[in-house]
Amino acid sequence: MKKIKSILSGCLGLLFLLGADQASKYWAVENLKGSAGIPVVPGVFEFYYLENDGAAFGMLDKIQGVFILTAVLILLLCLYTFLRLPEDRRYRPLKILCVVIGAGAAGNMLDRLMFGYVIDFLYVSLIDFPVFNLADCYICIGVAVFALLFLTYYKNDSFAFLLPGKKGEEERIGGRRNDGER
């Protein structure tokens, strides 16, 4: 029952984040396309419409098939990890990160499938940072938080359960392993 509740929560979270990403891109198309941009904080941050047919920051343009395949692989990795993570409070942050990163990959993949490019509209003009979108934020923040947790919170053996056929933390019951080890 706990696993089903977790899967439903993950699906709802992914749909919510994906919906927010797609709604924000729809807003950008309706309000920014063809305009010079909208300053939010003049000289610092603005909404600026851009159609990006490349990867991060416009690199490697016009190879949509590779980007779609990469997004599918990221989604599969997130799904595999989400399903293998133990139903333990300790792993809840990782479940959330799987949902956040998966929503980012799905959001940009949907754009590529529907339009052949990704809609970007967030621009930090203060440092002339490349234009990005919510899905990019999901991916970058999710990966950064994962790296931080990996380096500071989880131990080397915390991910053994991800390997096929391996038993790990999900086998622990009340501080004991099912095979009697401590």
Side-chain angles (χ1 to χ4, degrees):
M1 185 65 170
K2 206 173 188 184
K3 189 74 163 178
I4 293 171
K5 183 179 174 185
S6 174
I7 292 170
L8 287 174
S9 296
C11 289
L12 287 174
L14 187 125
L15 289 174
F16 175 79
L17 292 172
L18 185 58
D21 173 65
Q22 293 299 301
S24 69
K25 290 172 180 174
Y26 176 80
W27 175 86
V29 170
E30 293 297 313
N31 295 285
L32 301 173
K33 192 171 184 174
S35 77
I38 300 172
V40 177
V41 179
V44 178
F45 178 76
E46 64 186 82
F47 294 128
Y48 180 84
Y49 183 83
L50 178 74
E51 296 174 354
N52 181 358
D53 61 358
F57 315 129
M59 298 182 297
L60 306 170
D61 60 342
K62 301 189 190 321
I63 54 172
Q64 298 305 318
V66 172
F67 298 134
I68 291 169
L69 179 62
T70 301
V72 168
L73 292 174
I74 290 169
L75 281 167
L76 289 173
L77 180 63
C78 288
L79 178 63
Y80 175 81
T81 303
F82 185 93
L83 293 174
R84 297 280 298 188
L85 283 166
E87 295 302 322
D88 183 291
R89 177 180 219 130
R90 179 171 185 245
Y91 291 99
R92 192 169 300 146
L94 293 180
K95 284 192 172 263
I96 292 168
L97 291 174
C98 285
V99 169
V100 170
I101 294 167
N108 283 341
M109 182 180 70
L110 273 177
D111 281 9
R112 290 183 195 287
L113 290 170
M114 291 189 306
F115 311 118
Y117 53 83
V118 173
I119 297 168
D120 290 331
F121 62 95
L122 302 170
Y123 177 51
V124 182
S125 55
L126 177 67
I127 57 173
D128 194 26
F129 195 77
V131 184
F132 56 100
N133 60 45
L134 282 183
D136 296 335
C137 293
Y138 299 160
I139 295 168
C140 292
I141 292 169
V143 169
V145 171
F146 173 78
L148 185 64
L149 288 173
F150 184 77
L151 294 171
T152 61
Y153 182 68
Y154 296 104
K155 299 189 179 359
N156 290 339
D157 63 345
S158 294
F159 300 101
F161 61 86
L162 290 173
L163 300 172
K166 294 286 184 179
K167 295 179 183 176
E169 290 292 320
E170 77 275 11
E171 298 286 320
R172 293 183 188 272
I173 299 173
R176 294 177 169 241
R177 294 181 61 92
N178 283 342
D179 60 6
E181 285 184 49
R182 202 131 170 100

